[in-house]
Amino acid sequence: PVRFAVFRKGATPTGEPEEVLRHGTDLFEAMYSPDGEYLVARTGFGPGSFRRDILGFRLGTDSVIRVTENEFNESAVSFSPDGGFLVYESDQTGRTEVYVRPFPNGDQGPWPVSTDGGVMPLWSRAGGEIFYIDSEKRMTVATVETNPTFSVTGRARLFPLPDDILFRELEWYTLYDYSPDHDRFMMIRVRDPGESEIELTLKENWLFGSGGRQ
């Protein structure tokens, strides 16, 4: 059967995609570790059930790190800036929450980040904050420390998401980013849910989307 694999391509109109990784199952949400030594990806299906797990791959080897392998759904994965931890969402308690665990060695954790529902986590590039959206559709930030071990030192609600921002409670991806100066969040606005076309424009390292259905 045809499998979703991982490819990369330069940000130019020309050139062919290069296959980076192929595995025995479909791969989604692929991203490199900050040092480029590892790649993590989410699977879409599990044996006998519809589920999502997170796998890690050491590039140039046959090594596969089973970050999560259970009957629950884990997705929306993001690296810490130093590559030593992963943040992701999981429904292991019956409600989707945000968790952190070390990488590549997973002998500790996972540690909960959210306490009242959490989806779409994103680790800040500065390292001391994790953003996520809570069960009331509010952008929330958790202040965190990773030394000597991971801990959450505080949580704050930043702002409610407008009604026209693309969001689903059980979304599998993190659908936003923030500007390098930390002053703005970049999100997808749905102009008309009935439209079927989406325009994408790459400008100043941002990928903009407008209209349409995802």
Side-chain angles (χ1 to χ4, degrees):
V2 176
R3 295 291 189 186
F4 286 95
V6 180
F7 293 81
R8 66 182 174 188
K9 183 181 181 300
T12 63
T14 60
E16 293 297 321
E18 173 191 358
E19 182 173 307
V20 175
L21 179 66
R22 187 173 293 272
H23 192 56
T25 186
D26 295 321
L27 298 176
F28 307 88
E29 294 189 69
M31 66 180 64
Y32 285 108
S33 60
D35 61 7
E37 187 174 350
Y38 294 91
L39 187 146
V40 298
R42 171 186 46 92
T43 65
F45 296 87
S49 66
F50 182 65
R51 75 179 197 199
R52 298 169 184 84
D53 286 314
I54 299 170
L55 299 178
F57 303 89
R58 187 165 189 173
L59 298 176
T61 74
D62 295 328
S63 174
V64 179
I65 303 164
R66 302 192 180 277
V67 179
T68 65
E69 188 177 34
N70 51 51
E71 68 272 28
F72 308 113
N73 288 297
E74 288 88 15
S75 58
V77 63
S78 171
F79 271 105
S80 63
D82 64 2
F85 296 85
L86 293 175
V87 62
Y88 59 94
E89 62 183 44
S90 172
D91 62 2
Q92 67 185 56
T93 64
R95 178 175 64 182
T96 304
E97 300 278 8
V98 175
Y99 297 87
V100 163
R101 66 189 311 147
F103 183 86
N105 299 316
D107 52 350
Q108 294 179 312
W111 299 282
V113 175
S114 60
T115 58
D116 188 26
V119 296
M120 301 189 197
L122 180 65
W123 209 307
S124 72
R125 286 180 282 275
E129 297 175 323
I130 293 174
F131 301 105
Y132 63 92
I133 299 171
D134 71 9
S135 59
E136 299 297 323
K137 201 178 173 182
R138 295 170 296 201
M139 180 64 71
T140 305
V141 61
T143 53
V144 300
E145 295 180 355
T146 58
N147 189 23
T149 186
F150 178 83
S151 64
V152 176
T153 59
R155 297 176 185 86
R157 296 164 181 162
L158 300 181
F159 56 87
L161 265 65
D163 291 338
D164 60 352
I165 293 299
L166 184 63
F167 171 84
R168 291 200 301 269
E169 183 179 359
L170 298 180
E171 183 56 62
W172 308 329
Y173 302 89
T174 294
L175 296 175
Y176 63 88
D177 205 341
Y178 67 96
S179 62
D181 60 10
H182 293 202
D183 285 343
R184 292 160 292 176
F185 283 85
M186 188 64 63
M187 299 180 177
I188 302 174
R189 174 177 290 171
V190 181
R191 295 188 303 181
D192 182 352
E195 294 182 4
S196 59
E197 294 184 358
I198 297 176
E199 294 182 359
L200 297 177
T201 304
L202 183 65
K203 183 176 181 180
E204 294 182 358
N205 297 322
W206 287 108
L207 185 65
F208 293 89
S210 62
R213 243 185 226 139
Q214 289 281 311

